[in-house]
Amino acid sequence: MKDVAQVAGVSIGTVDRVLHKRGRVAPETASRVLEAARSLDFAPNRAASNLSRATPRVFVGLLPFPNQDSGYWRWVVRGIQKAAAELAHHYVEVEFIYYDRFSSDSFLRATAGLVHQEPGGIILAPTIEGASRKLVEELKPRPVVIIDGTLPGAPVLTTISADSLESGYIAGKLLDILCEKKTFLTVTPGMSSHHLQLRRQGFENYFSTTTPGKKTRQARLDHLNLASDDQWKLLPHWLEERRDVAGIFVTNSASHKIVSLLPRGFTPRIIGYDLIAENVQCLIDGSVDFIMNQHPENQGYKAFYALYRSTVLNEPVPVADRIPIDLMMRENLPFHPEYSGTTGETP
């Protein structure tokens, strides 16, 4: 069914509606789907189809509260809901369980009893790494899809995320190009999960590798973990004493918060992540140079489909699905589908 959808240029849900005559589909689209099915000698998997109609499956989205990280997680929720709506005729549904991503206790309260329930699969954002890893072990053999992060070695169905190490390397290269003075700061706000550590490592790797002329790039690299309110309060003082910092790499969506705490007259080049509304405004006013967009809506969408393909269609799912990163700047921002040039905000 996936191949038919690709050839016809439609979603799997549309293919299902056409082949099983469920719901309304434009005649031109239906014709395209049927032609693709004929060209591939496709025959519907009746057993899987009957099972999907007879046994409702509930996939659980285990995510931080949607308003956290300036609304970043709303994009993930939207992607999951979009996929669930497309596949509703297969009797697959989604329920969401939310937790405070800065609180292990909140995560444990939210997941209490989940092991004893019967979810068809779980979509998990592992922002609290230790507790997430333990939960995955306890949920075996239920399928778990990891999004927006990694849990190396954990028994999960698949991981859908951007390449953290590579994105950090790109950030290093960009700041090296932007800044004549090679004095850089990496900032990890909040709890440091594995993928944030990889971003920092990728950044540092850029400066530790040799150039084509066999010379090691020379730079001063400082790092700050900002895990508590007290540490955030000290940041302006720290920056005031280090005005020679030429560039700052923020390993999550908090670039806008760093900008708000810069001492007066201090304007380092800044690179960070995620097209949340506050970061969009920083791109527009020039206080942030680049934002790496990792397509949270697409991550959620792909995660739901991965569970559907594995549990309903019995299709193999790749162990990793790397999401491409868009490098956003003020000049290309108005052309991006996740940005409204009229309002100047992300939905």
Side-chain angles (χ1 to χ4, degrees):
M1 193 177 290
K2 177 175 67 174
D3 293 336
V4 174
Q6 288 177 343
V7 171
V10 298
S11 70
I12 290 178
T14 299
V15 173
D16 170 74
R17 288 194 292 276
V18 172
L19 297 182
H20 297 102
K21 299 183 170 134
R22 296 197 287 257
R24 299 175 61 185
V25 178
E28 181 182 346
T29 301
S31 177
R32 208 162 66 241
V33 169
L34 292 172
E35 178 59 32
R38 282 192 293 270
S39 70
L40 295 169
D41 293 324
F42 175 81
N45 184 335
R46 298 297 178 184
S49 178
N50 291 335
L51 176 62
S52 69
R53 289 196 296 271
T55 309
R57 295 169 185 263
V58 177
F59 299 150
V60 173
L62 182 54
L63 307 171
F65 289 115
N67 64 338
Q68 290 195 308
D69 296 314
S70 299
Y72 171 82
W73 299 101
R74 283 198 291 266
W75 287 101
V76 178
V77 170
R78 179 180 299 182
I80 294 173
Q81 290 174 330
K82 179 181 177 182
E86 291 178 359
L87 296 172
H89 291 295
H90 278 289
Y91 290 81
V92 288
E93 304 170 354
V94 63
E95 292 182 1
F96 291 100
I97 298 176
Y98 298 118
Y99 65 91
D100 179 353
R101 83 172 196 88
F102 300 106
S103 169
S104 296
D105 289 341
S106 174
F107 184 91
L108 295 175
R109 287 194 300 270
T111 58
L114 183 60
V115 174
H116 304 294
Q117 298 174 15
E118 295 295 332
I122 297 93
I123 300 170
L124 170 63
T127 58
I128 300 178
E129 186 173 345
S132 296
R133 186 177 295 278
K134 181 179 179 183
L135 178 66
V136 170
E137 291 287 346
E138 293 173 345
L139 285 169
K140 288 191 302 186
R142 298 181 184 89
V144 177
V145 175
I146 298 295
I147 61 169
D148 202 72
T150 56
L151 280 179
V156 300
L157 176 66
T158 185
T159 297
I160 301 174
S161 179
D163 190 320
S164 298
L165 193 68
E166 188 66 21
S167 68
Y169 190 94
I170 292 170
K173 186 172 185 177
L174 287 170
L175 283 181
D176 190 30
I177 293 171
L178 289 172
C179 303
E180 182 177 356
K181 193 172 185 179
K182 310 304 180 183
T183 53
F184 303 117
L185 169 68
T186 57
V187 178
T188 302
M191 301 175 71
S192 181
S193 56
H194 183 257
H195 72 292
L196 300 188
Q197 295 170 18
L198 286 177
R199 290 174 183 176
R200 177 190 172 188
Q201 182 183 333
F203 184 86
E204 294 175 350
N205 284 354
Y206 172 81
F207 293 101
S208 64
T209 55
T210 56
T211 64
K214 305 300 182 184
K215 293 183 179 180
T216 302
R217 299 179 179 92
Q218 298 297 316
R220 192 192 81 197
L221 305 179
D222 294 323
H223 178 71
L224 285 178
N225 281 311
L226 301 177
S228 68
D229 290 340
D230 289 340
Q231 289 171 324
W232 276 101
K233 291 175 183 177
L234 292 173
L235 180 62
H237 177 72
W238 190 97
L239 293 172
E240 182 66 50
E241 293 186 341
R242 292 167 178 80
R243 282 179 172 263
D244 62 337
V245 169
I248 300 177
F249 172 46
V250 186
T251 61
N252 70 359
S253 60
S255 294
H256 63 97
K257 193 170 181 180
I258 300 297
V259 168
S260 71
L261 296 173
L262 292 175
R264 185 181 298 275
F266 182 36
T267 56
R269 313 307 288 264
I270 297 177
I271 296 175
Y273 290 83
D274 303 329
L275 276 183
I276 59 174
E278 293 89 340
N279 285 344
V280 166
Q281 187 55 50
C282 288
L283 283 177
I284 293 171
D285 65 29
S287 54
V288 169
D289 295 276
F290 292 99
I291 287 294
M292 287 185 270
N293 177 38
Q294 49 189 335
H295 298 281
E297 182 172 357
N298 195 29
Q299 289 189 47
Y301 181 87
K302 285 190 165 194
F304 195 91
Y305 263 95
L307 287 174
Y308 165 74
R309 288 176 180 134
S310 176
T311 63
V312 176
L313 300 183
N314 294 317
E315 292 182 356
V317 174
V319 296
D321 187 349
R322 290 302 179 205
I323 301 294
I325 283 181
D326 286 343
L327 196 59
M328 304 305 303
M329 50 189 165
R330 178 168 52 188
E331 289 75 13
N332 67 353
L333 183 62
F335 307 102
H336 199 277
E338 292 175 15
Y339 167 77
S340 168
T342 302
T343 63
E345 295 180 350
T346 49

